[in-house]
Amino acid sequence: VPRSTWDAVRFRERVQDLIGDLVDANVIDPTGWNQRAWLTGLHEVPRHLFVPDRAWAQAFTTTGSDHAIDKATDPTGWWNAIYQNYSIITQRGDGTADPRDPAAPPSCSLSCPHISMAFLRLLDVRDHHRILEIGTGTGWTAAMLGWRVGDSRVSSIEVDKELAETARVNLAAVGHAPEVVTGDGADGLPHRAPFDRIHVTCGVRDIPQAWLKQVRPGGAIVAPYMPIAGAGGHQLHLDVVDEDHAVGRFAGASGFMMLRSQRAHMSTEDGEDPAELTVTRLDPRLIAEADGGAQLVIAAAAPGLVVDTGWEQHADGWSYVVQLASLDGRSWAKCLAPRGVDEYEVLQSGPRRLWDEAASAYRSWLLLGRPGRERFGLTLTASGQQIWLDSPGGLLGEGDRSSP
Ligand SMILES: C[S@@+](CC[C@H](N)C(=O)[O-])C[C@H]1O[C@@H](n2cnc3c(N)ncnc32)[C@H](O)[C@@H]1O
């Protein structure tokens, strides 16, 4: 039996199971034709043709565990990871590290099916739409979009030259050739505008104004919004009102690798400012592991935060630690939570008191009655971004809340 026949059998069995999972988890409602189309797309655009023989499978849920995959030594494991709920990391360290080295930062992945299908659903595509994708990656999403509306109506931008080239090869293997441009997606693609949809498949903290200008009124930008570096993200659907305004709401959670120019690292300057020591009774885990709604309140009140958590060893044992920094590195805070203490020590330094800002925002979220992520939205104008509760302008404050 030729190998391709086995592959066809492996593919058919697994894609059918995946479709069952997506329907059971309410990611896709098969009773609506526009959503059901994406399930057909899974048959038409085989995910495995976008995955190299050796890569890294990162589990979406805690029932799976992260592991290296190798088609030559464990073909069953390779096939299973691709058609189960894993994102498949195909590049790390912008191409300088082995994709199977978990110590290096991931820089490209084929996103896990539950998240990529949720985003395609949120995109709400019609047959005649012209679509721009930001972050071609492996090319799978571009192929799905090309399959849905026709390749001539899809453009995709990838910042990494080698990834763009691999994506073109992958796309050709499934018989698609949407335009793949190598460049910075933050600029959009002005000469191809206007678009009906911009589909962003990398994380953004500040939504570039160029995108607003390149979507026709009534069109939409769909993106993983990731306002706090190091924390999770939020699926955002923005309706474009005109070239200076977009308004939208958050759907589910989503963690993505950031748009390259918006990457942030925990950096703290050892400036002149001595660190101030205070104590708090608020468990720092509440800030570090905040619920989606709480994260959005913190992001609105304390813009431009970087968060990191870990453990530190001290004379009397291990201590859980939450670190906060401002994007400019000038302010930082550190909260230590050793086991068995009633109060936690907080060190803060720099022009901002980041712990106080985050803790006060967390308390306001409690006072609001713990509203969930779906009750929040975002307005984007020429002067910046504003997060709101329930309706545009609602409760979370005035003015420009974009990152400083
Ligand atoms: C999660 S992957 C995208 C997955 C892709 N949609 C797929 O189907 O494989 C994110 C991609 O965004 C790319 N990227 C990051 N910053 C970018 C930028 N400024 N412009 C264009 N692409 C960017 C990364 O190189 C990476 O390939």
Side-chain angles (χ1 to χ4, degrees):
V1 181
R3 209 186 126 136
S4 57
T5 308
W6 281 117
D7 281 1
V9 172
R10 285 172 165 140
F11 168 53
R12 247 198 322 275
E13 282 174 4
R14 285 172 175 82
V15 83
Q16 216 43 61
D17 288 348
L18 174 59
I19 287 171
D21 291 347
L22 290 165
V23 171
D24 290 348
N26 293 319
V27 176
I28 297 285
D29 173 3
T31 61
W33 70 267
N34 202 23
Q35 290 188 38
R36 193 172 59 238
W38 293 122
L39 299 181
T40 310
L42 285 175
H43 282 284
E44 299 293 329
V45 183
R47 280 170 67 78
H48 63 274
L49 296 176
F50 293 81
V51 176
D53 288 359
R54 288 190 286 181
W56 180 267
Q58 187 155 302
F60 178 65
T61 58
T62 46
T63 50
S65 57
D66 304 348
H67 59 278
I69 53 172
D70 186 333
K71 194 177 183 189
T73 57
D74 178 15
T76 304
W78 185 86
W79 278 91
N80 287 347
I82 295 168
Y83 286 97
Q84 289 172 2
N85 215 3
Y86 289 89
S87 66
I88 308 294
I89 293 173
T90 61
Q91 191 201 59
R92 289 186 192 260
D94 299 331
T96 60
D98 186 330
R100 294 168 304 154
D101 174 6
S107 47
C108 180
S109 69
L110 171 62
S111 308
C112 74
H114 282 224
I115 291 294
S116 40
M117 295 295 276
F119 268 113
L120 288 172
R121 170 187 172 165
L122 204 58
L123 200 63
D124 193 22
V125 171
R126 304 292 137 154
D127 295 357
H128 64 280
H129 279 173
R130 282 175 40 194
I131 307 174
L132 173 65
E133 182 195 21
I134 313 291
T136 317
T138 65
W140 178 80
T141 312
M144 287 289 269
L145 296 171
W147 169 79
R148 179 70 182 78
V149 297
D151 288 348
S152 64
R153 281 192 274 268
V154 177
S155 303
S156 182
I157 312 181
E158 171 55 56
V159 73
D160 185 296
K161 202 161 158 259
E162 271 179 36
L163 289 176
E165 198 40 54
T166 306
R168 289 185 195 103
V169 172
N170 293 344
L171 281 156
V174 294
H176 282 281
E179 180 183 33
V180 174
V181 177
T182 308
D184 185 354
D187 300 332
L189 212 52
H191 69 278
R192 298 282 264 166
F195 299 100
D196 299 279
R197 297 286 185 266
I198 292 187
H199 183 17
V200 189
T201 61
C202 45
V204 279
R205 177 175 55 249
D206 293 312
I207 298 152
Q209 294 286 328
W211 298 349
L212 199 49
K213 308 251 178 291
Q214 292 175 30
V215 175
R216 67 170 82 247
I221 300 169
V222 165
Y225 179 63
M226 303 187 62
I228 304 179
H234 317 267
Q235 296 169 28
L236 173 63
H237 178 282
L238 275 178
D239 286 311
V240 174
V241 182
D242 56 43
E243 60 176 34
D244 293 320
H245 295 92
V247 180
R249 290 179 182 275
F250 297 104
S254 69
F256 271 71
M257 43 204 66
M258 293 298 285
L259 191 81
R260 269 200 195 178
S261 54
Q262 296 189 13
R263 284 178 183 166
H265 302 286
M266 177 64 68
S267 72
T268 50
E269 276 175 15
D270 264 339
E272 310 278 287
D273 271 335
E276 179 186 70
L277 176 68
T278 52
V279 291
T280 179
R281 289 167 59 216
L282 186 79
D283 185 340
R285 290 169 188 80
L286 295 173
I287 304 287
E289 297 159 15
D291 188 270
Q295 281 181 31
L296 288 165
V297 176
I298 294 172
L305 270 192
V306 187
V307 179
D308 195 17
T309 61
W311 294 85
E312 266 183 19
Q313 196 168 20
H314 297 268
D316 40 4
W318 287 91
S319 185
Y320 179 74
V321 50
V322 175
Q323 292 197 78
L324 306 175
S326 56
L327 279 175
D328 62 11
R330 293 175 63 212
S331 305
W332 59 265
K334 187 170 175 177
C335 184
L336 293 168
R339 247 183 258 282
V341 300
D342 297 331
E343 290 182 326
Y344 309 106
E345 284 187 353
V346 181
L347 279 169
Q348 301 188 82
S349 176
R352 292 173 64 185
R353 287 292 174 262
L354 296 178
W355 172 263
D356 298 349
E357 288 182 25
S360 142
Y362 186 81
R363 286 193 193 95
S364 358
W365 176 71
L366 294 178
L367 281 170
L368 289 165
R370 307 173 66 99
R373 174 189 281 121
E374 287 73 13
R375 282 184 54 195
F376 291 86
L378 183 139
T379 297
L380 172 66
T381 62
S383 58
Q385 298 168 189
Q386 189 184 21
I387 295 171
W388 42 259
L389 176 66
D390 289 334
S391 58
L395 253 171
L396 287 182
E398 305 294 318
D400 176 8
R401 292 294 195 183
S402 60
S403 302

